[in-house]
Amino acid sequence: MDKRAVLLRLQNNIKLRRLRAGDLPGALSCTEDMLRLAPDAALLWREAGLMNQRLDRIGAALGCLDRSLAIEPEGETARRIRAVVEELRHRLN
């Protein structure tokens, strides 16, 4: 396991503890730290987008979800994320 993988795993453990404690802003902060280490991880972009959505940060949520779709544009997950993006864009109008 390389150093980056170790750091990502440690951050993921912290993120999960914060989520269990109901600390969504803290979990989002961990996810953002993880994205600095793994900027091409579509899963992390989706997680950040969905956390931002729950925090009612619509612009940030859209940016993260759009990035996840740019990395992984095909598949069932992408279809579901596109539906979320469409709903968020309607909320902005």
Side-chain angles (χ1 to χ4, degrees), residues 6-67:
V6 170
L7 289 172
L8 287 168
R9 189 172 187 164
L10 290 171
Q11 279 299 110
N12 193 59
N13 290 340
I14 295 168
K15 176 187 73 173
L16 292 174
R17 280 197 304 272
R18 288 180 177 178
L19 284 171
R20 284 187 204 111
D23 179 9
L24 192 56
L28 176 58
S29 178
C30 283
T31 304
E32 290 168 341
D33 290 342
M34 293 168 75
L35 281 166
R36 287 183 194 87
L37 296 168
D40 293 328
L43 172 63
L44 292 175
W45 285 108
R46 283 192 301 272
E47 288 179 353
L50 296 173
M51 284 186 231
N52 274 303
Q53 177 190 20
R54 288 180 55 196
L55 292 168
D56 210 27
R57 299 174 183 168
I58 305 304
L62 285 169
C64 292
L65 295 174
D66 284 341
R67 179 72 178 123

